[in-house]
Amino acid sequence: MTNTGGSAFPVMDMKVTKEGMTLRDYFAAKAMQGLIAQSAGTALGSRVEIAAEYAYAAADAMLKAREQ
């Protein structure tokens, strides 16, 4: 099972808890933003699938670093 890091921006009130995106998704989105911005999106070639895999690998590394 993949460690998601829990909710990135949980919202709690008296009646409902909204979990929103996971911390893993947030980290991956930030990594993807940098990859796309770098060299006009050519940092990992033109295949977005490769960039997405790399972004989640970076997110997993960030979550692992938080455990230490």
Side-chain angles (χ1 to χ4, degrees), residues 35-60:
L35 290 170
I36 291 171
Q38 182 181 5
S39 302
T42 61
L44 295 173
S46 60
R47 298 209 35 215
V48 294
E49 296 86 1
I50 294 171
E53 289 176 15
Y54 185 86
Y56 272 102
D60 290 340

Side-chain angles (χ1 to χ4, degrees), residues 1 8 11-13 15 17 27-28 31 33-34 36 42 45 56 64:
M1 186 161 121
V11 175
M12 292 188 254
D13 64 25
K15 299 175 185 174
T17 299
F27 284 163
Q33 181 179 16
I36 291 171
T42 61
Y56 272 102
K64 186 174 181 180

